[in-house]
Every structure is written in C-alpha cells, then in structure tokens.
C-alpha cells in the first residue's frame, strides 16, 4: 500500500562469516539469495513510519540473526554509500525508496569523528607467557559467545513454540509445537557444546582454513582476532593502546602500554610499525584498518625506528620452509649487508659464513638470493658537489645518480626472508664442493605455495591464449572469421 515500502536487506558477507558455522549453514538454507547469488538477503514490506532502529530489530528478528546490527544505504552495485546513523529517524523522513539498496552489517554505527579498527593478536612474536594468557582469555570469551548464541537460538525456539501453542486450538498441535520447541532447544544446547569443543586451546586463527594451501604461511601471518576498537580519528598511539587494554582478552596482561607494539596488517601480513616519533600514528586511522598487537616482557625502546621482517628458516634436508615470524629489526641493521647477517646469525643461530639468505618475491612466486652485491639500504646514494645545483647557486650539493652496476635490493617492512645453512646435508643433488670439502647444494627456496601460484598463473596464461586463438581463428591454423561491411559514402555534388 501507500503507507508501506518493500525493501531488500542484504546481509554483509564479512558479518555473516563472523557468525558460528552452524548458524551460517542454517541461514544459507532458509534465506534467499540476491540476483547474482552472491549474498543472502531478505525482502520485507515495512511501514514507512517505522524508525531505523525498529526496522533493524524487525529484520534481524525475522531473519533469526541475534546481536547488534546496523544499516547502510548502498548504490546500484551494492557498495556502501551512507550509514543510517539516526536510529530514531523514520524511513519516510529519510526518503527511503523501494529501489534503494540496504546492507545489514553487524555491530553498531560508529559515531561521527570515530573509526573502528580491528585488533589482531600476533602470537608468534609476542612474549610466550603473555601469549598463553591471552589465548586462554580468547578461548573463554569465544566459549561465552557460543553459549550466548545458543541461548538466543533456544529462546527463539521457545518463543515460537509458545506462539504456535496459543494460536492452535488442537491439543495435538500444541503437544507437537511444544515437542518441536524442546527439540530446537536441545539442538541449540548441542550446538553450544560443539562450538565450545571446537575452540580447544583458544586459537581460532585467521590462517586456520588456509593451512592446506599454504602450510608454511608465506602468504599470511598467524593472527588471532581480538575484536574492534573504536577510537577518535585524532587518537594518539597511547589512546589506541588504552582502548585495547580494556579488551576482555587482555585482562590478564599485567604490563602497560609501553610493552605493546602496533603494526599495520596489509593482505593478512604484518608490515610497518604505525607509531611515529611524536607519539601519533604514522598512517591516518580509518574504519576497516587492521592492526597487529605484539606483547613483550620489556618495554619497547624507540618503536618508531623498528622495521618488520618476516623471518623463516629453510630446512635444507627436507627442502621445506618454517612459518615466518614477524621479527623486529632496528633501522641500522638494514643499512649494511654485514649488520643484516649479524642479526640473522643472532636470531637463527646459523653462522654467517654458512648462511644463505633469500627474499620472497610475491608477484613472481619466487625467491631472490640476497648477496652483498645486490644489497642496498634506503638513502645510501652519496651527495656530491655540483656546479649547477638547482636553487642553491654554484657549488650546491646534489644527489649523485647511481650507475647501472649499483646495488638494487632494499628490504622493506613486511618482506619475508628465509635463511638456510648451506653446509647441512640435503636430499637434493650436490652441485659443487668448497675448499673445505663441504658439499654445497643449490636451493631455489621454492615452497608449495609458490608452486601453486606459478601453476595458477600458467593456467591463466593458457586460458587467455586459448581464448585469443578462438577469437582470431588460431595461429597458422584455420583462417580468422570474416565479416562483410558495406560503407555508403554520400555524394555531396548531386
């Protein structure tokens, strides 16, 4: 009617993935999908006088998704445009139309001037005792969340059973409805027990579903989500750390913010430290930003000078690579090849004269050997006097151009490097022997992940070549398909 409006509410995929697996399966079985079959949705006719808050409650209740949710208005292709922040505003006052897209996102609306930042716990490079306590607290919180989810499902089942009983005049129907409600409650309790058992040690890592693809973890780090922190866009690093300290998973962490380090996570890999030398973030804060939290036994000294190198050990004998550990390197350690080897020797225990080091090149799915001739540090170009320095007059200094033979390699935050002891025995065939009669073996450092990516890239090239051959008729094969064109040229002289 004229007083109602029919809207399609699409459930945000990321929010859906945060629900328990069994709940996701139930929703997938009961809710329809969007026209492109990519996301779950729910179409409802609602009064135009309904407020945004009432709309959210009615939609989530009908869909059976408990918890706190909020709405976003989307464009024609489903991209977020405006969040409906005013929960007391009516649909008519906001001029919501039937063709407007609605996206249902878990959590409440972030107030204006604030951002929501996801905090991920860096297990590998944190203090061992602190990590065990945090993971234990994470397990407890996840168990409580699973129990609350099961209780909400059981309450909904009991409510549905009561409604069915009161609306039916048949005693047999009332008994059947009551039995169904009891069965649903029992199933919810069983789901809660299964969810609690699934948590085990509390380690629900982001990488857990990717172990089969990349057991060495070359493409991503082992991180555990602790939740979201809502902070002001102008927050200092200290403000962010204080907000994180209020997390339930960090209640047993006895040290203060000085023992915490925050680094940005890009593509599920830990990269640069975000703390600037003035105590403010070195990168602008924005909603959706992801930060890795590292806990240490001692306070961090001058964290703004630290860099992150993802360090792993290459097993020469088995030709396998360990999972990278995000390791902190001082800026001075990356300025020379000798200082880099010195820290690598300290971190791995491998003597530098027996060490072979390689850096991973993700775009090419291969490893590049780090040698003294290729190694370079940022800002190593020398400044030399120039007779024609721009803006400085005669004799002004100008940075000299490096020659084609200059070193080109620069290690950056987030780079993954592997170290192997080239003197250890290997299953590969030996290629040479050194002066000490110690066999040395060539190793490409290639992992299963690299081989998989190389195969996918080769398959993509083959598919593109086949598609091109089909369009053009092949190379040296059947002639290309021809079409006839008639071109009429007007005679302007007549």
């Amino acid at each position: 009617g004229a007083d109602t409006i029919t809207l399609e509410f699409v459930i945000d995929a990321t929010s859906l993935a945060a629900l328990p697996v069994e709940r996701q399966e139930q929703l997938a079985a009961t809710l329809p999908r969007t026209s492109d079959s990519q996301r779950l949705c729910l179409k409802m006719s609602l009064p135009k006088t309904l407020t945004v808050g009432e709309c959210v409650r009615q939609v989530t209740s009908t869909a059976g998704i408990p918890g706190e949710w909020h709405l976003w208005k989307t464009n024609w292709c489903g991209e977020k445009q405006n969040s409906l922040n005013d929960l007391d505003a009516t649909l008519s006052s906001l001029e919501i139309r039937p063709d407007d897209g609605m996206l249902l996102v878990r959590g409440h609306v972030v107030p204006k001037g604030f951002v929501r930042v996801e905090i991920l716990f860096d297990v590998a490079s944190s203090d061992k005792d602190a990590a065990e306590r945090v993971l234990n607290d994470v397990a407890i919180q996840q168990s409580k969340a699973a129990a609350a989810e099961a209780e909400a499902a059981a309450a909904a089942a009991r409510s549905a059973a009561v409604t069915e009983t009161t609306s039916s005049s048949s005693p047999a129907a009332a008994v059947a409805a009551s039995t169904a409600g009891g069965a649903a409650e029992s199933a919810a309790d069983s789901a809660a027990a299964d969810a609690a058992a699934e948590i085990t040690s509390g380690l629900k890592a982001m990488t857990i579903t990717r172990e089969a693809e990349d057991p060495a973890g070359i493409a991503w780090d082992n991180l555990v989500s602790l939740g979201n922190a809502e902070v002001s866009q102008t927050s200092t690093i200290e403000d962010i750390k204080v907000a994180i300290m209020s997390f339930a998973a960090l209640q047993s962490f006895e040290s203060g913010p000085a023992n915490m380090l925050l680094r940005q996570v890009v593509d599920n890999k830990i990269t640069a430290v975000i703390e600037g030398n003035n105590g403010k973030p070195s990168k602008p804060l924005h909603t959706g930003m992801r930060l890795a939290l590292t806990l240490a036994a001692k306070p961090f000294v001058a964290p703004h000078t630290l860099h992150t190198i993802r360090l792993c050990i290459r097993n020469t004998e088995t030709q396998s690579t360990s999972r990278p550990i995000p390791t902190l390197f001082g800026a001075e350690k990356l300025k020379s090849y000798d200082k880099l080897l010195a820290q690598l020797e300290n971190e791995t225990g491998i003597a530098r004269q027996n060490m072979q080091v390689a850096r991973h090149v993700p775009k090419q799915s291969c490893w590049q050997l780090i040698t003294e001739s290729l190694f370079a540090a940022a800002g190593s170009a020398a400044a030399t006097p120039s007779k024609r320095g721009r803006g400085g007059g005669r004799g002004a200094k100008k940075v000299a151009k490096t020659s084609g033979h200059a070193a080109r390699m620069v290690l950056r935050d987030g780079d993954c490097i592997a170290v192997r002891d080239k003197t250890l025995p290997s299953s590969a065939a030996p290629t040479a022997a050194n002066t000490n009669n110690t066999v040395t073996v060539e190793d490409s450092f290639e992992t299963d992940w690299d081989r998989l990516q190389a195969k996918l890239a080769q398959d993509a090239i083959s598919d593109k070549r086949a598609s091109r051959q089909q369009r053009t008729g092949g190379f040296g094969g059947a002639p290309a398909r021809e079409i006839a064109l008639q071109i009429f040229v007007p005679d302007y002289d007549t």
Side-chain angles (χ1 to χ4, degrees):
D3 297 330
T4 61
I5 183 172
T6 301
L7 296 170
E8 184 181 67
F9 298 89
V10 177
I11 302 178
D12 177 57
T14 304
S15 302
L16 184 67
L19 297 175
V21 177
E22 291 190 1
R23 191 61 188 146
Q24 295 180 42
E25 294 174 350
Q26 292 172 1
L27 293 173
T30 56
L31 294 180
R33 290 185 175 272
T34 54
S35 57
D36 58 1
S37 301
Q38 295 297 318
R39 293 181 289 182
L40 300 179
C41 65
L42 181 65
K43 190 171 286 188
M44 294 182 65
S45 294
L46 302 169
K48 293 181 180 179
T49 56
L50 212 63
T51 66
V52 173
E54 293 169 341
C55 176
V56 171
R57 286 190 291 271
Q58 191 163 332
V59 172
T60 54
S61 175
T62 304
I65 44 177
E68 198 170 16
W69 297 76
H70 66 277
L71 283 174
W72 280 78
K73 192 175 178 180
T74 62
N75 59 14
W76 63 273
C77 59
E79 297 173 339
K80 291 180 181 178
Q81 294 296 302
N82 302 310
S83 60
L84 304 185
N85 299 332
D86 190 354
L87 300 182
D88 296 325
T90 62
L91 299 179
S92 59
S93 66
L94 295 174
E95 299 181 350
I96 301 298
R97 297 175 300 181
D99 58 346
D100 285 336
M102 291 291 159
L103 183 67
L104 199 60
V105 181
R106 196 173 190 182
H108 61 273
V109 179
V110 180
K112 188 175 181 180
F114 283 73
V115 295
R116 180 182 287 124
V117 180
E118 185 180 7
I119 306 301
L120 305 167
F121 182 50
D122 174 19
V123 181
S125 54
S126 291
D127 177 66
K128 184 177 180 180
D129 293 337
E132 289 179 355
R133 290 195 296 269
V134 170
L135 291 179
N136 182 63
D137 289 341
V138 169
I140 293 173
Q141 297 304 316
Q142 290 179 346
S143 297
K144 289 181 178 178
E149 177 77 16
E151 178 58 31
R158 287 194 297 268
S159 177
V162 171
T163 303
E164 180 69 21
T165 302
T166 54
S167 63
S168 175
S169 58
S170 169
V175 171
S178 177
T179 303
E185 184 175 355
S186 176
D189 293 339
S190 176
D194 292 342
E198 181 185 350
I199 291 170
T200 58
S201 65
L203 181 59
K204 260 192 172 181
M206 292 165 46
T207 56
I208 199 166
T209 58
R210 299 165 177 165
E211 290 288 345
E213 298 177 354
D214 183 19
I218 300 301
W220 33 66
D221 289 323
N222 193 9
L223 303 169
V224 179
S225 179
L226 299 180
N228 296 317
E230 289 185 6
V231 295
S232 169
Q233 289 179 321
T234 59
S235 295
T236 63
I237 294 295
E238 186 78 10
D239 296 334
I240 302 174
K241 292 180 179 180
V242 170
I244 296 173
M245 289 290 290
S246 65
F247 284 15
L250 290 179
Q251 294 308 301
S252 61
F253 182 61
E254 299 174 353
S255 303
N259 295 52
M260 302 166 65
L261 183 70
L262 293 174
R263 289 177 280 181
Q264 189 172 9
V265 177
V266 179
D267 296 333
N268 295 331
K269 293 185 291 188
I270 297 176
T271 58
V273 176
I274 68 161
E275 183 167 347
N277 56 7
N278 55 0
K280 294 182 178 181
S282 57
K283 300 178 182 297
L285 299 177
H286 58 85
T287 294
M289 192 176 192
R290 309 169 79 199
L291 300 178
L293 171 67
T294 302
L295 302 179
K298 298 179 180 179
F300 289 97
V301 179
H304 63 278
T305 64
L306 300 176
H307 295 273
T308 302
I309 298 296
R310 302 169 64 243
L311 178 61
C312 50
I313 304 297
R314 178 72 172 177
N315 189 314
T316 306
E317 183 176 3
T318 62
Q319 300 284 293
S320 60
T321 306
S322 68
R323 177 176 290 278
I325 296 179
T327 307
L328 293 171
F329 281 66
E332 71 283 355
K333 299 294 184 181
L334 301 181
K335 289 183 178 180
S336 74
Y337 182 70
D338 290 337
K339 290 182 178 179
L340 173 67
L341 293 188
Q343 178 154 349
L344 290 177
E345 182 178 19
N346 183 58
E347 297 285 348
T348 64
I350 301 175
R352 70 180 70 184
Q353 64 270 20
N354 301 331
M355 189 183 296
Q356 189 175 41
V357 187
R359 181 185 66 169
H360 191 236
V361 185
K363 291 184 179 180
Q364 300 178 22
S365 299
C366 66
W367 295 76
Q368 180 184 18
L369 288 181
I370 298 178
T371 61
E372 188 170 7
S373 60
L374 287 178
F375 187 85
S380 61
T384 57
S386 173
K387 293 184 179 180
R388 288 185 281 183
R390 179 178 297 179
R394 185 178 299 274
K397 288 188 176 182
K398 183 178 180 181
V399 176
K401 294 182 179 180
T402 56
S403 67
H405 300 288
R408 298 178 179 86
M409 180 173 291
V410 178
L411 291 178
R412 296 180 175 87
D413 281 294
D415 276 353
C416 179
I417 64 175
V419 181
R420 80 175 185 100
D421 188 341
K422 58 187 178 183
T423 65
L424 293 180
S426 170
S427 57
T431 58
N434 60 20
T435 54
N436 297 325
N437 295 324
T438 305
V439 175
T440 60
V441 178
E442 291 296 332
D443 188 353
S444 67
F445 286 78
E446 190 179 47
T447 66
D448 291 338
W449 172 255
D450 297 318
R451 284 185 282 270
L452 173 62
Q453 294 305 301
K455 182 181 182 303
L456 292 177
Q458 188 60 42
D459 291 345
I461 293 173
S462 299
D463 292 343
K464 185 177 291 186
R465 182 181 293 113
S467 176
R468 185 168 60 248
Q469 288 178 355
Q470 186 176 6
R471 291 196 310 269
T472 60
F475 300 108
R481 291 175 293 178
E482 297 179 352
I483 59 174
L485 294 176
Q486 286 183 324
I487 302 177
F488 296 95
V489 180
D491 188 356
Y492 293 103
D493 295 333
T494 59

